[in-house]
Amino acid sequence: MKALVVPLDGFTGALLAGPAVRAVATRAHPVTVLCGPGGEPAARLLPHVDDVVVWEPPPRTPEDGRADDDPLVRRLRNEAYDVALVLAPGGHSPGPAEQLLLRARVHRVAACGDTRPRAVLGTAAALGFRPRAGDDGRLRVVPPPDTAQLTGAGPYVVVHPGAGPPGHAWDPDHCAAVVSALADAGHRVVVTGGPEESALTRHVSADIAVDLGGRTDPRRFAGVLRAADAVVTGAPGPAHLAAATGTPVVSLVPPGAPRRPDGVPSVLLAPDACTARDVAGAVHRLLDERT
């Protein structure tokens, strides 16, 4: 049986699809993740993914007469997939994906609008896919590489200041204050960010923290997070990636934001209602819980 898993919410959505991918892989082979460009790096980190196909939903559905001319439709038809699971959290319509799969003649398609593990696994079970014995449904990634050559020796806390939706993170000066507060509390700090955030990470790290801005691809980033004592971020992608590596998270999220990462100790703080000292205190509480 050939199966597709189709997450529609970028990097975070692809990570949250992991438990469903593992369940589907108990009875299907190959398992292909069909996702947008933003989800591809995360999809390639998931266990039991055999292939990743990148697809950007069109602004409108092609006319029926043009469907056969779509290279992706032809590819999916040729692969002859038997079943597909579409994961469309709030704000993402499953319609375009379902139309694509219909044109590609996928035999069975189910959609889930709730990406919490229980809901996703329930939809997968309705298709006949159940987790392996002992699979607790937590987020997971393939084992990342050792990154000690990047972070240096000794324990550390990661501060990831960027890449979050509006309202999810402090401004650079506040993030720099968090780094200073953590250093004053005796923590070694590593600041992370993408290539486009190197100026931000340089400002936030100052002369206090290790600056890894622009120096990690997704696999190395996962390795940096896995080896950390805790992660401080306002971005859902890094927060869930940290959870997938088993690392506690302090999430700076406004009221009404998406839920905290599953499966690891975590603290939620509202960015406009806490200080750098509050963040350092939250990290201290998480580390106390681990001992």
Side-chain angles (χ1 to χ4, degrees):
M1 181 186 305
K2 294 183 175 182
L4 287 160
V5 178
V6 190
L8 300 181
D9 191 20
F11 191 94
T12 300
L15 285 178
L16 293 174
V21 168
R22 300 198 304 268
V24 170
T26 59
R27 294 186 54 226
H29 181 79
V31 178
T32 297
V33 174
L34 176 65
C35 62
E40 180 185 10
R44 295 193 182 280
L45 296 177
L46 299 178
H48 300 291
V49 170
D50 298 298
D51 193 14
V52 178
V53 176
V54 177
W55 169 65
E56 191 93 67
R60 64 185 183 88
T61 302
E63 299 295 332
D64 290 343
R66 295 166 48 203
D68 291 337
D69 296 330
D70 186 329
L72 179 57
V73 170
R74 292 200 305 270
R75 174 178 177 176
L76 297 179
R77 282 184 183 177
N78 290 338
E79 292 289 340
Y81 287 97
D82 301 287
V83 63
L85 175 57
V86 180
L87 306 178
H92 295 268
S93 169
E98 290 174 324
Q99 288 296 316
L100 171 71
L101 298 170
L102 177 65
R103 298 198 306 275
R105 298 174 186 164
V106 179
H107 295 165
R108 288 191 298 156
V109 178
C112 182
D114 185 344
T115 54
R116 287 175 294 185
R118 180 175 296 182
V120 170
L121 292 175
T123 304
L127 290 171
F129 303 111
R130 297 185 180 278
R132 290 173 172 80
D135 190 333
D136 57 12
R138 295 185 182 186
L139 302 184
R140 295 180 193 166
V141 292
V142 296
D146 183 279
T147 53
Q149 74 279 7
L150 291 173
T151 61
Y156 59 88
V157 173
V158 165
V159 173
H160 187 90
H168 279 234
W170 281 353
D171 65 36
D173 289 337
H174 283 136
C175 292
V178 169
V179 169
S180 180
L182 288 169
D184 288 346
H187 300 288
R188 200 164 65 89
V189 183
V190 171
V191 177
T192 58
E196 72 285 357
E197 296 167 332
S198 57
L200 170 64
T201 61
R202 185 165 54 250
H203 174 82
V204 170
S205 58
D207 295 323
I208 300 172
V210 176
D211 178 10
L212 293 186
R215 298 177 60 194
T216 57
D217 59 18
R219 288 193 70 245
R220 289 187 178 88
F221 185 34
V224 170
L225 298 180
R226 179 190 62 176
D229 288 335
V231 175
V232 178
T233 183
H240 285 93
L241 183 57
T245 68
T247 301
V249 181
V250 176
S251 288
L252 301 169
V253 293
R259 68 183 189 282
R260 71 182 68 200
D262 291 315
V264 295
S266 60
V267 176
L268 265 62
L269 296 175
D272 60 352
C274 66
T275 66
R277 183 174 296 180
D278 294 330
V279 176
V283 169
H284 182 73
R285 293 197 301 275
L286 288 176
L287 298 187
D288 279 350
E289 291 179 17
R290 298 187 77 175
T291 57

